[in-house]
Amino acid sequence: MHVSRFTLSRVLEKFGFHARVAARKLCITPRQAEQRYQFAGADGDKDEEWWSNVIFCDEKSFRQYFHCFAHYQRFAFYHYLFFSSIECGRKFAYRVNGTRFTHEHVQIYDRSGRKSVPVWGAFCVQGPNSLVHINGSLTSEKYCEILDDELIPMIDRYYSGGPVRFFQDQSPIHRTRIVMD
């Protein structure tokens, strides 16, 4: 029996299954999920004054890719450079409403194997710091340079060198001996 995909789609729609783009989530282990939950809840009871002395920082890699399409005006071709923090490519899932993040409807992705533009940034209640482009791989020495060149002036600018709480993730580079000293 041959059934067109349009007929199948129409029947699924009739029974409440809609074609949707699958949600994308980074693959994390149950242990990592528990650690993130504990971190998020650890300081939730603090007041506004406590949070006013907090600086957050992190590194992020943005994927770089080119997109080419024909622009109708004068038949000219334009090439655009886009930056994205997720991989390209959409995956569709037929699902009922309210089930977007169930395991069966999520597209798991991995971070490896891409060309990217790595940056470091920090922000606090007084404002953000500018993004810092990281040339090459981030090493402990480069991370210390970034902290000296960017974070210390930010503390001086916003807190006059006073006490601050510095939040960063559990990246191995953050816990090396040279960084901790």
Side-chain angles (χ1 to χ4, degrees), residues 90-137:
R90 296 186 302 174
K91 188 176 187 179
F92 286 89
Y94 281 93
R95 61 178 176 77
V96 294
N97 289 337
T99 61
R100 180 175 187 203
F101 291 105
T102 59
H103 183 71
E104 301 84 26
H105 304 130
V106 173
Q107 180 181 0
I108 304 295
Y109 68 97
D110 190 5
R111 294 182 182 182
S112 62
R114 65 177 186 194
K115 295 186 182 212
S116 60
V117 178
V119 295
W120 176 91
F123 67 94
C124 61
V125 73
Q126 285 83 1
N129 201 31
S130 56
L131 290 177
V132 177
H133 179 257
I134 301 168
N135 292 315
S137 297

Side-chain angles (χ1 to χ4, degrees), residues 62-68 79-89 114-117:
F62 291 91
R63 183 167 187 253
Q64 180 180 2
Y65 62 95
F66 286 94
H67 181 67
C68 176
H79 296 271
Y80 290 92
L81 177 64
F82 290 95
F83 292 95
S84 171
S85 61
I86 60 173
E87 299 289 25
C88 298
R114 65 177 186 194
K115 295 186 182 212
S116 60
V117 178

Side-chain angles (χ1 to χ4, degrees), residues 3-181:
V3 178
S4 78
R5 67 182 178 93
F6 300 107
T7 301
L8 184 59
S9 178
R10 195 170 49 251
V11 171
L12 288 170
E13 184 84 25
K14 184 178 176 181
F15 286 100
F17 291 90
H18 310 284
R20 304 281 194 255
V21 175
R24 295 175 60 91
K25 289 176 63 179
L26 181 64
C27 183
I28 61 172
T29 66
R31 185 175 140 258
Q32 290 169 326
E34 179 62 26
Q35 287 175 334
R36 289 180 179 197
Y37 180 77
Q38 294 297 328
F39 175 78
D43 297 313
D45 61 341
K46 305 295 192 247
D47 64 2
E48 191 173 322
E49 183 180 333
W50 189 90
W51 284 105
S52 67
N53 292 325
V54 172
I55 295 179
F56 292 96
C57 85
D58 204 2
E59 308 82 38
K60 176 72 177 159
S61 291
F62 291 91
R63 183 167 187 253
Q64 180 180 2
Y65 62 95
F66 286 94
H67 181 67
C68 176
F69 65 93
H71 184 58
Y72 183 72
Q73 184 181 13
R74 297 185 186 164
F75 301 102
F77 286 90
Y78 293 95
H79 296 271
Y80 290 92
L81 177 64
F82 290 95
F83 292 95
S84 171
S85 61
I86 60 173
E87 299 289 25
C88 298
R90 296 186 302 174
K91 188 176 187 179
F92 286 89
Y94 281 93
R95 61 178 176 77
V96 294
N97 289 337
T99 61
R100 180 175 187 203
F101 291 105
T102 59
H103 183 71
E104 301 84 26
H105 304 130
V106 173
Q107 180 181 0
I108 304 295
Y109 68 97
D110 190 5
R111 294 182 182 182
S112 62
R114 65 177 186 194
K115 295 186 182 212
S116 60
V117 178
V119 295
W120 176 91
F123 67 94
C124 61
V125 73
Q126 285 83 1
N129 201 31
S130 56
L131 290 177
V132 177
H133 179 257
I134 301 168
N135 292 315
S137 297
L138 183 61
T139 63
S140 299
E141 291 79 14
K142 279 186 189 178
Y143 189 65
C144 285
E145 281 181 35
I146 291 171
L147 294 179
D148 289 341
D149 296 345
E150 300 294 329
L151 184 66
I152 301 302
M154 182 180 184
I155 292 170
D156 291 340
R157 181 172 60 246
Y158 291 133
Y159 298 100
S160 302
V164 296
R165 292 173 185 87
F166 180 56
F167 279 65
Q168 56 189 355
D169 59 15
Q170 294 296 315
S171 172
I173 288 178
H174 301 166
R175 298 182 310 237
T176 59
R177 188 175 20 231
I178 188 173
V179 172
M180 298 302 281
D181 290 343

